[in-house]
Amino acid sequence: GGEQLQYSYDDSGDPAQCDQLIKNGAETWLHSGGGVFNETDSNGWFLENKDRDSYANGLVRYVDTRCFEAGAQYRFTAKVMITDENGNSLDCDPNDRKCPVFRMNSSGGPPGTSTRYNEFFGFSVWTSTEWNGVDVTIIISEEEAEKNKSMLHIYGSPDAWSLRLKDVSMTRV
């Protein structure tokens, strides 16, 4: 088992490093409900969002918006698994929106602008017994480039299911 809220790792790199906005094991991850735990298994380290009580609960990582330029492209990759309260891996149907969803929430722009949601689904097939890979390209819109706050939010599996995340990266292409 893990220790709740011990999710910050040493990141001695430049916080404005725009080529790699997210790298595995080097940043602070928060949660939008439940708790964040550092866990390990025979395959190494992963983050787990447990005790979720809503579809909207999940993992959150703020990204450095000083890097955002309209039209810039970032490749987001990660491995994801969902489990029950006993740690048993679960199946989901990507066509039925029961698998994890990835979304960039950008806010805090010029007066009169609203929060921008850039939602993407990274799965066409899901295998319950494996870590499922997501590999998507995010194109920064002009509206997102104007915002001063942006976060990656991973959520979307049914209540009480845990989200597990590892091998995370968001790099400029």
Side-chain angles (χ1 to χ4, degrees), residues 4-157:
Q4 188 172 16
L5 299 180
Q6 298 299 312
Y7 46 76
S8 183
Y9 285 83
D10 179 34
D11 182 9
S12 56
D14 179 3
Q17 177 58 263
C18 294
D19 289 338
Q20 188 166 14
L21 289 178
I22 298 175
K23 59 186 175 185
N24 196 49
E27 290 93 11
T28 300
W29 285 85
L30 306 171
H31 61 88
S32 60
V36 179
F37 299 81
N38 292 319
E39 300 286 354
T40 56
D41 64 11
S42 60
N43 297 313
W45 171 86
F46 61 90
L47 273 176
E48 186 166 17
N49 179 215
K50 298 180 186 179
D51 305 321
R52 299 171 59 253
D53 61 6
S54 169
Y55 175 85
N57 291 160
L59 296 165
V60 175
R61 168 69 176 111
Y62 283 92
V63 295
D64 192 340
T65 57
R66 294 173 293 181
C67 297
F68 286 178
E69 298 172 5
Q73 296 184 27
Y74 286 90
R75 180 180 181 203
F76 175 78
T77 59
K79 291 184 180 171
V80 182
M81 184 181 285
I82 49 178
T83 63
D84 66 15
E85 65 275 359
N86 297 315
N88 300 310
S89 57
L90 297 169
D91 209 357
C92 68
D93 182 355
N95 300 313
D96 196 23
R97 289 185 61 111
K98 299 257 196 252
C99 292
V101 176
F102 297 81
R103 179 169 76 180
M104 291 293 293
N105 297 355
S106 301
S107 60
T113 61
S114 60
T115 299
R116 162 109 170 128
Y117 298 104
N118 185 356
E119 192 168 80
F120 50 97
F121 303 91
F123 308 101
S124 57
V125 176
W126 185 273
T127 305
S128 65
T129 57
E130 299 176 7
W131 286 93
N132 292 271
V134 60
D135 187 339
V136 296
T137 299
I138 302 166
I139 301 172
I140 304 302
S141 70
E142 189 171 321
E143 189 178 3
E144 283 173 308
E146 293 178 347
K147 305 296 185 187
N148 60 24
K149 182 170 63 173
S150 190
M151 67 178 180
L152 177 69
H153 185 201
I154 305 165
Y155 70 103
S157 57

